[in-house]
Amino acid sequence: MRISLTLLSSLCCLSLVSCTSVDDHELTLRDLDIQSTTPGTASVFVKPKSDAEVQSAYQAYLASTSTDEKGRRVALTRLAEIERAQLQKLDAAQSPEDAAEFDSQQRASLLRIVSLHEQALKDTPNAKNNDQLLYSLAQAYEKLGNSEESLNTLRKLSDQYPNSSHVAEAQFRLGEQFFVDGEFLLAESAYSEVIFKGESHPLFEQALMKR
């Protein structure tokens, strides 16, 4: 299926500048969660009433496209955003009586985030903001209790995106693990990377003290 990149960019709340008609039997953006009222563009795309409808629309789009379709990353990112929003709602509504159900729902949502991020990284390994995906992926692994995968992801972030704004935090967390493992030279090196970011960094003082 072919949907213009211009239309797909509207999923990120950008203005539409052109439109492409699609076959009646093909998925259109009408089922997705953005609404455009820009004069001179395609007809208004109505926002579904629930996150479930939005998710279903994006999942249908993903199922109907090849892995080289550029819009897939937009869809994968949007689905992950919905999952994170649902996690925040779960946190806000948590009560001691519902702890078991909360844990189950939280874990399921985190696993979906992991799957979505891994798919996005696989589909677009050279995208410019993959450092943000790796950072979010590491966070999801950590919340799932998978520290090993979280640290491996942070290593990948640091190695592949040394200029990322997330590198200092990644190095600090790696330094913590190195210290626990008794790898004191590696820990010192990791803490130094944080210190090099300067006194304005929130982790500067902690890194300086630990080094």
Side-chain angles (χ1 to χ4, degrees):
M1 184 197 73
R2 183 178 179 277
I3 299 178
S4 72
L5 180 58
T6 303
L7 286 178
L8 285 172
S9 67
S10 69
L11 300 178
C12 292
C13 300
L14 299 177
S15 298
L16 290 171
V17 294
S18 65
C19 64
T20 300
S21 61
V22 295
D23 188 273
D24 289 341
H25 298 291
E26 293 181 332
L27 177 69
T28 71
L29 297 183
R30 188 180 301 278
D31 295 321
L32 304 184
D33 72 326
I34 206 68
Q35 177 173 288
S36 173
T37 56
T38 306
T41 65
S43 58
V44 172
F45 300 132
V46 181
K47 182 175 180 178
K49 295 180 180 179
S50 69
D51 283 346
E53 290 176 298
V54 177
Q55 288 172 306
S56 178
Y58 279 96
Q59 288 162 354
Y61 166 72
L62 289 171
S64 66
T65 60
S66 61
T67 56
D68 59 353
E69 171 63 50
K70 293 182 179 179
R72 285 177 60 85
R73 185 179 178 90
V74 176
L76 291 165
T77 300
R78 182 70 181 98
L79 285 169
E81 289 173 352
I82 293 172
E83 292 293 345
R84 284 195 292 271
Q86 291 176 342
L87 279 174
Q88 291 178 347
K89 291 178 182 178
L90 282 173
D91 286 337
Q94 184 185 10
S95 65
E97 296 79 10
D98 301 326
E101 181 179 357
F102 167 80
D103 289 343
S104 177
Q105 292 177 347
Q106 183 189 52
R107 181 172 180 81
S109 192
L110 286 168
L111 286 172
R112 286 192 290 270
I113 290 174
V114 166
S115 178
L116 290 164
H117 284 341
E118 288 183 339
Q119 188 63 56
L121 290 166
K122 180 181 179 181
D123 288 354
T124 53
N126 299 315
K128 64 180 181 180
N129 62 337
N130 275 354
D131 62 317
Q132 177 61 47
L133 282 188
L134 288 168
Y135 179 73
S136 181
L137 181 59
Q139 287 183 315
Y141 275 131
E142 185 66 27
K143 290 178 181 178
L144 284 167
N146 193 339
S147 296
E148 182 176 356
E149 280 301 326
S150 179
L151 291 170
N152 286 339
T153 303
L154 291 174
R155 288 189 186 94
K156 186 180 296 185
L157 190 164
S158 297
D159 292 343
Q160 295 182 1
Y161 302 94
N163 297 320
S164 169
S165 61
H166 299 300
V167 164
E169 182 179 345
Q171 286 295 323
F172 185 84
R173 290 182 59 193
L174 288 170
E176 297 284 80
Q177 188 60 50
F178 287 140
F179 188 86
V180 170
D181 293 341
E183 300 283 355
F184 301 120
L185 290 178
L186 290 175
E188 181 179 355
S189 176
Y191 290 136
S192 294
E193 291 295 324
V194 182
I195 295 170
F196 292 154
K197 296 297 182 181
E199 295 182 14
S200 61
H201 195 278
L203 293 173
F204 176 84
E205 291 294 340
Q206 292 184 60
L208 189 64
M209 179 178 65
K210 289 175 178 291
R211 191 184 71 164

